[in-house]
Amino acid sequence: QVQLVESGGGLVQAGGSLRLSCAASGRTFSSAVMGWFRQAPEKEREFVAAITWRGGNTYYADSVKGRFTISRDNAKNTMYLQMNSLKPDDTAVYYCAAHIGGLAIAALRSPGAYDYWGQGTQVTVSS
């Protein structure tokens, strides 16, 4: 089992920044894909960004490319999402997720590909 705990959400004005963290504990893993997803009210959960745990390869949704940066600290078993130039449309509950092992690039944007999820952290961007 893997436990994921997000932190760092909050209320920020448009144009501001936030950094989310996702701390992983439980089963150790050397190969995994970890991702950030978000879900706004009455909308489906959508892919934001993903990173491979071993190689650090990163993938982004077009809507956040150039504004968000995903990273990880293997020693701390923690993943981050630095969010800059935030917009009201970024308002959502943000979830971190993990898949143990590898994932095809075509699959890592799908919530169904991930085995473990955090409880979510609210991000609200005011205009």
Side-chain angles (χ1 to χ4, degrees), residues 39-54:
Q39 188 166 18
E42 301 182 358
K43 291 189 176 181
E44 293 188 354
R45 192 166 297 189
E46 65 172 0
F47 170 77
V48 175
I51 188 167
T52 59
W53 198 251
R54 181 180 294 172

Side-chain angles (χ1 to χ4, degrees), residues 38 47-49 59-67 87 109:
R38 66 187 183 187
F47 170 77
V48 175
Y59 306 88
Y60 295 93
D62 288 343
S63 59
V64 306
K65 201 172 294 183
R67 300 187 298 123
K87 305 174 182 179
R109 297 170 185 267

Side-chain angles (χ1 to χ4, degrees), residues 51-85:
I51 188 167
T52 59
W53 198 251
R54 181 180 294 172
N57 298 316
T58 58
Y59 306 88
Y60 295 93
D62 288 343
S63 59
V64 306
K65 201 172 294 183
R67 300 187 298 123
F68 291 10
T69 303
I70 189 171
S71 62
R72 90 273 189 244
D73 185 329
N74 296 50
K76 295 182 178 180
N77 279 349
T78 301
M79 175 178 67
Y80 304 97
L81 185 68
Q82 177 66 43
M83 305 185 294
N84 298 329
S85 302

Side-chain angles (χ1 to χ4, degrees), residues 85-124:
S85 302
L86 282 161
K87 305 174 182 179
D89 283 350
D90 295 317
T91 295
V93 177
Y94 282 70
Y95 298 90
C96 70
H99 171 83
I100 307 304
L103 271 179
I105 293 177
L108 57 79
R109 297 170 185 267
S110 171
Y114 292 80
D115 311 302
Y116 303 99
W117 291 85
Q119 81 288 351
T121 185
Q122 176 71 46
V123 171
T124 303

